[in-house]
């Protein structure tokens, strides 16, 4: 036999052996994966049930549950959700309790330190006994259902493939019983990611410690453009009440808000005087001495690092928000209201929402639920959706509900109105899988926990620096005051909304919606539409005279800057059947009034105004038109910028790309088209403009992300060609202006896309740059080997849209073009024909990799397609593919 033949035989044998090994490996992995798949047909005995429960699943595995009592309904919801999503639930409760290290080892330690310091679970424990008895009963029934499943499965590996993988690192992991507090603690995580402006407050404080002037910083926080981007409640259907009381009774055309003048906008940073804090002269500097010194900057750095350690649970960043709107009967093609909602949150797999229907077979006082929509895994009830009479949607109100306080600490005491008073302290012990326990001492002032204690590895530069010319005997630390750290009644509100049958009942429920404060839009089958802003909004004075309250960190040693109370619910903006007969709430300013003060950190309204324009141009809005609007990809800021880009003289190579912008319709589609090529170039130019204009002066971790905030900043600056921000500080001896920066950005963008997409601009595609990868929160990260990640992650998808676009597949210009946030789901509810409503989820019903429903909705979601949403029992049964019956079972002994 020749050597060549022998070599070929050896190669063939080796390849065959490898294929056998791979095949065996695949069979083993698939077997392990399928081991945790849920039973969706037949009959299962569930201890604690009072009577038979039916679980009907459609072609996407979405469960609709039918029961005879509320207790059975929520126990079944807990059981069924655990079938599909238990690892996600277990992960969430470990995060919210500051116990992630028990599940993933030392990689979770920094997260645990921060969350233990804030005490999310401690707050949930305090909250539980204050809730309505019925709410506590529902939470307990849900927990009973979760625990019934846990007890039946036995080992963790039978509940999720993730446990099989993690068992290689974490030995003898034991699944603990579920409790009502586990459900409540998730509301704290939801509130944290949607809390408001703390990022901007810290950013301003850090910039104040540099050589930047107040005026220079103020340009980064322009006034809201009320003239071009209408608020949620326009002047046509709202006028502020002089007394601030308004009417609590819904009626045609009645829209009320809090007290205050009918001003054109809230105070911006540009209006801030240079007098410093109230009562303190600061002629040498526009800032109080405490705000910008080395001690303060060291403390801010500690806090920034600490808060960055908290994992994203829902989503953070400029552009994170939502679209929602309602169209009244006179504007609807069906003669009944239509409601649309698509919350914009961080993408991941499994997706944030869990679709379900909860139906009492006989709706009445003892079993009042007939509701369907989107919930969170681990939380009973429906968060967003509709019942048999009303529908509702949420978008983030984004009020300023958190403040940082600089504290003068000396040992175990803190300065307070001229005297040192004791800190509150407690010891927290964190268990670490595969390692030793770690203990931390949590210290708090009357404002809240000292967040600067959490990660002491951050340099302590500047400690002991002078304060207002006097030697500081201790140092600066930073405490966090946040409404989410106080017990609330949001859980009561959610169940009450699920049962509400009128706007009056809806508003009564919203009164308890403490955190996170949301814009609530409403529609009902009787033809009415409405809006309500709920939430616990603190009242306080500004730390710097002339600036809005909460705009800057405050001196914690001066009680004048403490919170003095909360905005009364009767003073919160509301509207019922406005004359316009439609309401758009997409994170823009709520009203043009400055009272009640909510925040200055609104989304700047590029999305909301586009939705308003499309609705105004459609005399009779159909359900299909509602869906089309959700998929709109026009960048409404682009026309203003492009008119400055086109006249500029550039080299011939760059001009090939510049010509794409001529005739562009400003849409941002995926796929091969001239508009897609123009969108790719425009966004690359935009990214380079931000880098050349702002990133040369901002800290490296605070790069301009390119969302609506930055669009408004540049919108104003475009009319100031010699503004100092245009000058690139990286080019010493050269003073650039607007046109030179825009020219350089076009040149750099042309070179960048040539390398990434090819030499011919006509072939460029926005979708090839703008991609979405769905990543598992634990086993899909770069810290995990690639052969493991591929089991849990999915993608990429080429995506249309972008930041501050209705189809809000957002991206961070400081990091790249990949999708960082996106519509987490979409729904359109037809109040005239509930079975004609449509919905889609970002991933699927299942949290089990390789289950048919792990990502079976993603392709449709990515292209703005939706699925029929049956609601009546006849329609649900017609769509049913699997039926599971849960029957009462005896408790094990």
């Amino acid at each position: 036999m020749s050597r060549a033949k022998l070599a070929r035989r050896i190669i063939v044998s080796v390849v065959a052996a490898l294929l056998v090994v791979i095949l065996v490996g695949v069979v083993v992995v698939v077997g392990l994966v399928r081991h945790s798949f849920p039973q969706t047909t037949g009959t299962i005995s569930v201890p604690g049930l009072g009577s038979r429960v039916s679980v009907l699943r459609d072609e996407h595995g979405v469960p609709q549950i039918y029961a005879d009592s509320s207790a059975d309904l929520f126990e079944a919801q807990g059981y069924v959700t655990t079938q599909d999503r238990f690892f996600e639930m277990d992960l969430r409760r470990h995060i919210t309790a500051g116990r992630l290290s028990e599940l993933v080892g030392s990689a979770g330690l920094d997260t645990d330190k921060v969350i233990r310091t804030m005490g999310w679970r401690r707050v949930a424990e305090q909250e539980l006994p204050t809730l309505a008895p019925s709410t506590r009963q529902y939470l307990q029934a849900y927990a009973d259902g979760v625990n019934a499943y846990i007890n039946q499965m036995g080992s963790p590996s039978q509940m999720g493939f993730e446990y099989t993988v993690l068992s290689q690192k974490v030995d003898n992991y034991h699944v603990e019983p579920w409790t009502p507090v586990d459900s409540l603690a998730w509301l704290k995580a939801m509130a944290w990611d949607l809390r408001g402006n703390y990022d901007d407050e810290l950013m301003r404080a850090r910039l104040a410690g540099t050589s930047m002037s107040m005026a220079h910083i103020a340009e980064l926080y322009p006034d809201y453009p009320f003239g071009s981007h209408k608020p949620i409640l326009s002047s046509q259907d709202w006028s502020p009440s002089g007394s601030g009381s308004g009417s609590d009774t819904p009626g045609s055309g009645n829209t009320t808000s809090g007290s205050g003048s009918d001003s054109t906008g809230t105070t911006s940073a540009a209006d801030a005087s240079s007098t410093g804090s109230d009562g303190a002269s600061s002629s040498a500097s526009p800032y109080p001495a405490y705000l910008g010194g080395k001690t303060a900057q060291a403390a801010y750095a500690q806090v920034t690092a600490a808060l960055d350690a908290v994992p994203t649970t829902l989503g953070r960043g400029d552009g994170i928000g939502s679209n929602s709107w309602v169209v009244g009967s006179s504007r609807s093609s069906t003669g009944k209201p239509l409601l649309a909602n698509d919350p914009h949150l961080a993408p991941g797999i499994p997706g944030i929402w869990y679709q379900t229907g909860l139906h009492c077979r006989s709706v009445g006082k003892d079993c009042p639920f007939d509701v369907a929509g989107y919930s969170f895994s681990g939380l009973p009830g429906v968060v967003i959706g509709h019942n048999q009479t009303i529908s509702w949607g949420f978008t983030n109100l984004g009020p300023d509900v958190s403040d940082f306080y600089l504290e003068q600490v000396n040992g175990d005491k803190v300065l307070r109105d001229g005297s040192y008073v004791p800190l509150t302290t407690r010891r927290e012990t964190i268990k670490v899988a595969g390692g030793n326990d770690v203990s931390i001492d949590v210290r708090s002032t009357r404002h809240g926990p000292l967040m600067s204690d959490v990660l002491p590895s951050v340099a302590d530069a500047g400690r002991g620096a002078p304060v207002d010319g006097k030697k500081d005997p201790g140092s600066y630390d930073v405490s966090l005051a946040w409404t989410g750290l106080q017990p609330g009644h949001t859980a009561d509100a959610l169940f009450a909304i699920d049962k509400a049958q009128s706007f009056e009942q809806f508003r009564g429920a919203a009164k308890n919606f403490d955190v996170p404060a949301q814009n609530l839009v409403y529609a009902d089958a009787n033809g009415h539409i409405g809006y309500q802003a709920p939430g616990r909004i603190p009242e306080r004075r500004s730390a710097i005279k002339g600036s809005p309250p909460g705009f800057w960190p405050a001196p914690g040693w001066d009680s004048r800057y403490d919170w003095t109370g909360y905005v009364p619910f009767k003073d919160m903006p509301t509207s019922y059947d406005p004359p316009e007969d439609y309401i758009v709430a997409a994170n823009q300013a709520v009203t043009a009034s400055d009272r009640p003060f909510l925040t200055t950190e609104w989304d700047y309204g590029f999305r909301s105004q586009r939705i308003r324009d499309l609705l105004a141009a459609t005399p009779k809005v159909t359900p299909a038109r509602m869906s089309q609007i959700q998929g709109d990809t026009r960048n409404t800021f682009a026309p203003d910028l492009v008119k400055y880009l086109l006249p500029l003289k550039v080299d011939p190579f760059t001009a090939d790309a510049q010509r794409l912008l001529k005739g562009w319709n400003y849409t941002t589609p995926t796929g091969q088209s001239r508009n897609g090529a123009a969108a790719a170039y425009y966004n690359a130019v935009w990214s380079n403009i931000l880098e050349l204009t702002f990133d040369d002066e901002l800290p490296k971790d605070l790069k301009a992300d390119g969302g609506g905030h930055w669009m408004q900043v540049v919108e104003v600056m475009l009319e100031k060609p010699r503004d100092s921000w245009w000058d690139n500080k990286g080019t010493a001896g050269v003073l650039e202006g607007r046109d030179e920066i825009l020219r350089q950005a076009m040149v750099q963008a042309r070179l960048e896309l040539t390398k990434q997409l090819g030499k011919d601009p006509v072939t460029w595609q926005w979708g090839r740059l703008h991609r979405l990868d769905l990543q598992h929160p634990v086993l899909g990260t770069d810290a995990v080997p690639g052969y493991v990640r591929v089991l849990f992650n999915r993608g990429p998808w080429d995506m249309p849209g972008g930041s501050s676009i209705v189809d809000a597949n957002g991206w961070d210009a400081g990091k790249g073009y990949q999708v960082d946030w996106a519509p987490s789901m979409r729904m359109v509810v037809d109040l005239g024909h509930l079975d004609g409503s449509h919905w889609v989820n970002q991933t699927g019903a299942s949290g089990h990799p390789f289950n048919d429903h792990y990502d079976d909705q993603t392709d449709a979601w990515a292209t703005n397609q939706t699925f029929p949403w049956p609601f009546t029992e006849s329609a649900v049964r017609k769509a049913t593919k699997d039926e599971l019956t849960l029957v009462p079972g005896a408790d094990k002994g």
Side-chain angles (χ1 to χ4, degrees):
M1 182 184 297
S2 67
R3 290 183 177 179
K5 288 184 178 180
L6 179 60
R8 282 196 297 272
R9 283 193 174 184
I10 292 173
I11 291 171
V12 170
S13 299
V14 169
V15 170
L18 286 174
L19 287 174
V20 170
V21 170
I22 291 170
L23 181 61
V24 171
V26 169
V27 171
V28 170
V29 169
V30 170
L32 291 171
V33 168
R34 294 185 64 84
H35 192 52
S36 59
F37 284 7
Q39 177 183 337
T40 59
T41 60
T43 301
I44 299 177
S45 296
V46 178
L49 287 180
S51 61
R52 175 182 59 87
V53 175
S54 299
V55 182
L56 311 181
R57 293 179 183 261
D58 65 10
E59 62 178 336
H60 295 110
V62 175
Q64 302 267 0
I65 302 171
Y66 292 83
D68 292 328
S69 70
S70 298
D72 283 356
L73 194 64
F74 291 114
E75 181 171 353
Q77 185 186 12
Y79 188 93
V80 170
T81 307
T82 307
Q83 283 186 304
D84 286 328
R85 297 280 192 100
F86 182 68
F87 180 79
E88 178 188 24
M89 294 165 59
D90 201 18
L91 173 65
R92 286 177 175 175
R93 72 166 163 177
H94 277 81
I95 291 174
T96 58
R99 297 175 55 193
L100 184 59
S101 300
E102 294 180 24
L103 188 63
V104 303
S106 59
L109 192 55
D110 285 348
T111 293
D112 288 344
K113 288 179 179 179
V114 178
I115 292 176
R116 290 285 186 98
T117 296
M118 286 191 280
W120 289 358
R121 186 176 177 86
R122 289 170 58 89
V123 178
E125 289 170 345
Q126 296 166 13
E127 192 168 285
L128 181 62
T130 72
L131 298 175
S134 60
T135 298
R136 298 199 301 271
Q137 292 168 7
Y138 302 153
L139 289 166
Q140 185 59 59
Y142 186 90
D144 291 343
V146 175
N147 292 327
Y149 186 81
I150 291 173
N151 293 334
Q152 287 176 359
M153 292 300 102
S155 69
S157 64
Q158 290 183 296
M159 290 181 276
F161 181 53
E162 290 91 341
Y163 295 110
T164 301
V165 177
L166 289 172
S167 68
Q168 307 305 309
K169 183 176 182 180
V170 180
D171 294 330
N172 301 317
Y173 177 74
H174 173 69
V175 174
E176 296 179 356
W178 192 266
T179 71
V181 173
D182 293 328
S183 295
L184 289 179
W186 172 242
L187 293 176
K188 303 305 170 188
M190 181 174 74
W192 177 250
D193 272 359
L194 302 176
R195 67 200 166 278
N197 81 327
Y198 97 63
D199 295 302
D200 286 320
E201 186 175 330
L202 274 183
M203 178 176 175
R204 286 187 290 268
R206 291 175 64 184
L207 294 179
T210 69
S211 59
M212 285 188 191
S213 68
M214 178 73 88
H216 201 51
I217 295 174
E219 287 191 83
L220 300 182
Y221 300 94
D223 289 330
Y224 185 88
F226 286 101
S228 57
H229 295 168
K230 301 298 183 184
I232 296 173
L233 306 184
S234 69
S235 59
Q236 292 179 341
D237 60 78
W238 174 82
S239 60
S241 167
S243 65
S245 59
S247 171
D248 282 344
T249 304
S252 179
N254 170 43
T255 312
T256 64
S257 184
S259 61
S261 61
D262 193 9
S263 63
T264 58
T266 56
T267 307
S268 73
D271 298 320
S273 70
S274 60
T275 57
S277 62
D278 288 3
S281 175
S282 182
S283 58
S285 169
Y287 316 105
Y290 74 83
L291 192 59
K294 289 184 179 180
T295 303
Q297 290 304 306
Y300 298 145
Q302 285 180 315
V303 173
T304 299
L307 299 183
D308 284 347
V310 180
T312 297
T313 50
L314 291 180
R316 290 196 293 269
D318 185 22
I320 293 291
S322 306
N323 298 324
S324 69
W325 65 94
V326 286
V327 174
S329 301
S330 71
R331 303 296 303 273
S332 168
S333 66
T334 69
K336 292 288 187 178
L338 303 171
L339 184 147
N341 196 193
D342 56 287
H344 308 152
L345 303 170
I349 193 164
I352 195 73
W353 297 106
Y354 183 73
Q355 295 159 287
T356 192
L358 304 172
H359 308 278
C360 294
R361 291 194 179 98
S362 179
V363 178
K365 182 178 179 181
D366 294 333
C367 194
F369 296 95
D370 189 14
V371 60
Y374 295 85
S375 187
F376 296 120
S377 302
L379 185 69
V382 168
V383 176
I384 296 174
H386 70 82
N387 60 31
Q388 71 274 41
T389 305
I390 77 165
S391 180
W392 65 94
F394 289 177
T395 64
N396 197 20
L397 180 64
D400 187 356
V401 294
S402 62
D403 280 330
F404 292 104
Y405 288 86
L406 277 173
E407 310 279 8
Q408 294 186 46
V409 176
N410 187 3
D412 61 353
K413 295 184 177 181
V414 61
L415 186 63
R416 176 74 173 166
D417 290 335
S419 301
Y420 278 90
V421 298
L423 292 164
T424 300
T425 62
R426 71 175 189 273
R427 172 63 62 93
E428 294 277 351
T429 300
I430 302 169
K431 296 184 180 298
V432 183
N436 297 323
D437 293 354
V438 174
S439 294
I440 62 172
D441 291 319
V442 177
R443 305 187 299 168
S444 300
T445 73
R446 75 179 312 279
H447 303 116
L450 291 174
M451 301 307 300
S452 48
D453 278 356
V454 178
L455 296 179
S457 60
V458 178
D460 288 343
R463 287 191 176 275
V467 177
D468 290 333
K470 299 178 181 179
K471 185 68 176 178
D472 179 3
S475 61
Y476 278 156
D477 288 274
V478 180
S479 64
L480 171 67
W482 173 44
T483 55
L485 298 183
Q486 302 166 17
H489 292 84
T490 300
D492 286 336
L494 291 173
F495 288 115
I497 288 174
D498 283 357
K499 295 182 290 185
Q501 299 294 304
S502 66
F503 189 62
E504 184 177 8
Q505 292 178 6
F506 181 76
R507 286 197 70 214
K511 187 174 183 178
N512 284 322
F513 206 108
D514 294 318
V515 293
Q518 299 287 288
N519 296 302
L520 305 184
V521 294
Y522 167 95
D524 66 39
N526 295 319
H528 303 293
I529 64 173
Y531 166 86
Q532 179 64 54
R536 184 180 286 166
I537 314 298
E539 296 179 319
R540 72 285 220 193
R541 72 189 300 173
S542 174
I544 298 181
K545 186 178 294 182
S547 291
F551 206 71
W552 303 93
W557 53 87
D558 189 339
S559 62
R560 292 179 301 168
Y561 300 98
D562 292 352
W563 291 358
T564 58
Y566 300 99
V567 175
F569 181 74
K570 66 182 178 60
D571 291 348
M572 293 293 286
T574 187
S575 178
Y576 186 71
D577 287 342
E580 227 172 12
D581 211 20
Y582 66 86
I583 302 170
V584 177
N587 316 114
Q588 79 272 37
V590 176
T591 76
S593 173
D594 59 359
R595 296 183 186 178
F597 177 77
L598 300 176
T599 186
T600 59
E601 318 287 348
W602 307 113
D603 178 273
Y604 278 90
F606 291 93
R607 282 182 291 112
S608 61
Q609 190 59 43
R610 175 62 174 168
I611 295 168
R612 287 183 60 88
D613 290 345
L614 291 171
L615 291 175
T618 311
K620 290 291 184 180
V621 182
T622 65
R625 182 58 173 158
M626 299 282 278
S627 289
Q628 289 170 0
I629 293 173
Q630 288 181 323
D632 183 78
T633 69
R634 182 180 172 91
N635 185 322
T636 58
F637 168 66
D640 293 333
L641 180 56
V642 167
K643 72 181 181 182
Y644 288 92
L645 297 175
L646 287 177
L648 297 177
K649 299 293 184 182
V650 294
D651 61 90
F653 186 66
T654 303
D656 283 345
Q658 184 187 35
R659 278 190 289 272
L660 289 173
L661 303 178
K662 295 181 178 180
W664 178 36
N665 66 359
Y666 308 112
T667 61
T668 51
T670 188
Q672 181 67 59
S673 69
R674 179 176 175 82
N675 288 320
Y681 181 59
Y682 170 85
N683 283 307
V685 172
W686 175 234
S687 177
N688 279 278
I689 289 172
L690 297 169
E691 179 181 359
L692 292 168
T693 306
F694 303 107
D695 292 351
D696 57 318
E697 297 185 60
L698 297 176
K700 290 183 179 180
D701 61 330
L702 295 177
K703 290 183 177 180
D705 63 24
H709 177 112
W710 294 99
M711 292 177 185
Q712 187 63 28
V713 171
V714 173
E715 178 106 74
V716 175
M717 285 175 50
L718 285 171
E719 298 182 2
K720 303 174 182 179
R722 307 307 299 178
D723 189 283
S724 59
W725 276 107
W726 290 120
D727 180 39
N728 186 347
K729 300 302 186 289
T731 55
V734 179
L735 185 64
E736 293 92 351
R738 177 197 65 202
D739 290 354
E740 176 57 21
I741 291 296
L742 298 184
R743 187 195 66 78
Q744 289 182 23
M746 285 196 290
V747 171
Q748 290 183 189
R750 169 48 153 143
L751 294 172
E752 177 188 347
L753 295 195
T754 298
K755 293 177 182 178
Q756 293 191 50
L757 301 180
K759 186 177 181 180
D760 186 357
V762 177
T763 66
W764 294 346
Q765 297 177 34
W766 172 227
R768 288 176 59 196
L769 290 173
H770 191 50
R771 289 185 161 180
L772 170 67
D773 286 282
L774 292 174
Q775 181 175 288
H776 190 278
V778 174
L779 297 173
T781 67
D782 291 340
V784 176
Y787 64 85
V788 175
R789 295 199 303 269
V790 73
L791 298 175
F792 295 94
N793 294 347
R794 297 293 182 270
W797 283 266
D798 294 356
M799 298 298 293
S803 306
S804 292
I805 291 172
V806 179
D807 192 3
N809 298 303
W811 54 286
D812 186 333
K815 298 177 181 178
Y817 301 104
Q818 67 273 14
V819 175
D820 281 355
W821 63 86
S824 54
M825 60 80 162
R826 295 186 182 93
M827 74 177 197
V828 173
V829 180
D830 181 352
L831 275 301
H833 178 48
L834 290 174
D835 288 333
S837 303
H838 282 72
W839 62 353
V840 69
N841 214 351
Q842 189 178 83
T843 57
S846 178
H848 300 287
F850 299 105
N851 184 280
D852 290 343
H853 306 306
Y854 188 58
D855 63 345
D856 61 335
Q857 298 186 52
T858 307
D859 286 343
W861 166 86
T863 54
N864 192 37
Q865 299 178 57
T866 56
F867 301 105
W869 179 359
F871 179 71
T872 63
E873 185 171 1
S874 59
V876 169
R877 287 199 171 277
K878 186 176 181 180
T880 296
K881 299 299 181 184
D882 290 331
E883 181 170 357
L884 174 68
T885 301
L886 306 179
V887 297
D891 292 322
K892 293 184 178 179

